[in-house]
Amino acid sequence: KWHSLAATADSYDFSAADQLVDLAIANGQRVRGHTLFWYRLNGLPAWLDEELASASDPAARLRDLMAMHTATVVGRYAGRLAQWDVINEPLSLVGVGFDTENIFYQLLGEEYLDFALLQAHAADPSAELFINETFIEFQPAKFDALIALAQRLLDRGVPLHGIGIQGHFGFFAPDETNLRDQLQRIAAMGLKSEITELDIPLPLFSATPDPLAAQAQAYADVFNACLAVTSCSGITVWGIDDSRTWLDSFVISAPNAPNRPLLFDEMLQPKPAYDSVVEALLGIPSE
C-alpha cells in the first residue's frame, strides 16, 4: 500500500516488499500486487492531505502523484507481479454509489479509475489489472453497480482485466450458488475474477453443533464456486494462521475475538477448513 512504501511524496522504501517478491519468485509462487489506490484505513500516506491542501490545483497535483506512484511501484516490479489490485473499494461500503469520502473521486470523479488503470498498464503491459471490492457478496444492488462501473470502463477502452471479490464473510456465511452466479456474470463480460481476501470467522457458526465443520463447509463452498467458473483464476486467503488475523483488532470484529477465520490454527496446524479446501481442489465430493 502507498502509506507503507512512501514516507514522503518522493521517498520510497522497497526493502520489505522486495523481500516478499524475491522469496515468492524463488519458490515459483505467484504474486498479486495489493493495492495501488485505496482511501480507507491504512490506504493513504499520512502526508497526502497536506500535499493536496498546499497545491494551487489539488486535482492536478493528485494526478501527478498517482502517475509517479504507479510508475515507481508497478514499474519496479514489471514482469514479476502477475496482477495488481489497481483500485480498491471504489464504492460505498453500503449502497451503490461512490463514497463521498473517497479523495480520488472527490477531486477527479469516476475518471480516476480510467487514469489509474491506464497508468498501471503503461508501467507494466503484461500485468492483469483488477478492481477489488468488498461486501458485494451479500449486497446484490452493490454488485450490480460494480458490474455497471466495469462495463463503463470497458466501453471507454480502459485496460481492465478482472474483478476481485474480497470475500470477508464476517456477517453471513457464503452462499455457493449466489457466489457462482456472480462469478459467471463477471465471466460474461470477458473478465477474470478472483476471491482476493478470503476469511470466514468461526463465531459465525457458534450456533451450529460443530462450528469447525460448518466453517470447513463454508470454505468448500467458496472454492467450489470458483472452481465451477473457468475464468475464476485464483483465491487468496487473507492470512495464514488464526493467531495473526486483522479481524481480532478491527473495531467491528474485535469483540468476537478470537475470530479464528483461517485455514491453520494458532499452532500452525491445519484445521478442518484446510482439509475441505484440499478436497475441493482435488475434486473429492464433501460428505
Side-chain angles (χ1 to χ4, degrees):
K1 297 187 178 77
W2 201 349
H3 87 102
S4 64
L5 293 175
T8 67
D10 55 3
S11 174
Y12 281 74
D13 180 0
F14 287 103
S15 54
D18 284 349
Q19 278 189 316
L20 287 172
V21 173
D22 290 345
L23 178 67
I25 291 176
N27 286 278
Q29 296 170 314
R30 185 189 72 161
V31 186
R32 298 189 80 247
H34 176 87
T35 175
L36 287 178
F37 300 112
W38 184 41
Y39 60 96
R40 292 190 178 113
L41 299 177
N42 60 0
L44 296 176
W47 47 263
L48 183 63
D49 283 345
E50 184 177 347
E51 187 77 24
L52 296 176
S54 63
S56 58
D57 185 341
R61 181 59 178 150
L62 181 58
R63 277 175 164 270
D64 289 343
L65 290 168
M66 290 174 68
M68 182 179 71
H69 179 62
T70 306
T72 301
V73 180
V74 179
R76 183 180 187 87
Y77 299 112
R80 305 179 76 200
L81 267 64
Q83 300 174 335
W84 275 100
D85 289 330
V86 178
I87 305 292
N88 197 42
E89 301 178 8
L91 302 178
S92 298
L93 285 177
V94 178
V96 300
F98 283 90
D99 195 326
T100 57
E101 306 256 328
N102 181 341
I103 186 63
F104 303 105
Y105 183 73
Q106 286 176 354
L107 293 180
L108 303 176
E110 181 175 305
E111 189 268 340
Y112 92 87
L113 289 95
D114 304 53
F115 183 73
L117 289 161
L118 287 165
Q119 292 292 317
H121 184 65
D124 184 2
S126 68
E128 295 176 338
L129 308 181
F130 277 64
I131 294 175
N132 194 43
E133 188 55 90
T134 193
F135 293 168
I136 53 176
E137 307 87 350
F138 57 90
Q139 294 189 84
K142 182 175 179 179
F143 180 76
D144 289 344
L146 180 63
I147 291 295
L149 172 60
Q151 188 60 59
R152 292 196 298 274
L153 291 166
L154 294 175
D155 290 344
R156 294 196 290 266
V158 177
L160 174 66
H161 307 111
I163 291 177
I165 297 177
Q166 288 186 12
H168 292 302
F169 291 98
F171 300 105
F172 304 97
D175 181 321
E176 180 181 347
T177 300
N178 178 68
L179 183 57
R180 185 181 66 245
D181 290 346
Q182 289 184 330
L183 296 172
Q184 287 173 335
R185 284 185 63 187
I186 296 170
M189 302 174 69
L191 295 174
K192 287 190 173 183
S193 59
E194 301 228 349
I195 312 299
T196 57
E197 305 183 20
L198 179 61
D199 48 22
I200 309 175
L202 193 64
L204 199 60
F205 310 102
S206 59
T208 65
D210 187 343
L212 286 170
Q215 183 187 51
Q217 183 60 55
Y219 264 99
D221 289 345
V222 173
F223 273 75
N224 284 326
C226 179
L227 288 165
V229 181
T230 304
S231 59
C232 183
S233 56
I235 297 177
T236 301
V237 179
W238 210 235
I240 298 173
D241 71 274
D242 285 340
S243 71
R244 289 169 288 186
T245 169
W246 71 287
L247 292 173
D248 286 351
S249 59
F250 186 55
V251 61
I252 295 176
S253 50
N256 296 322
N259 281 276
R260 302 177 64 193
L262 300 170
L263 300 180
F264 294 85
D265 68 17
E266 296 85 347
M267 303 302 293
L268 284 173
Q269 296 302 304
K271 294 161 57 180
Y274 172 86
D275 296 327
S276 73
V277 164
V278 171
E279 290 172 359
L281 292 171
L282 293 175
I284 300 173
S286 58
E287 296 181 358

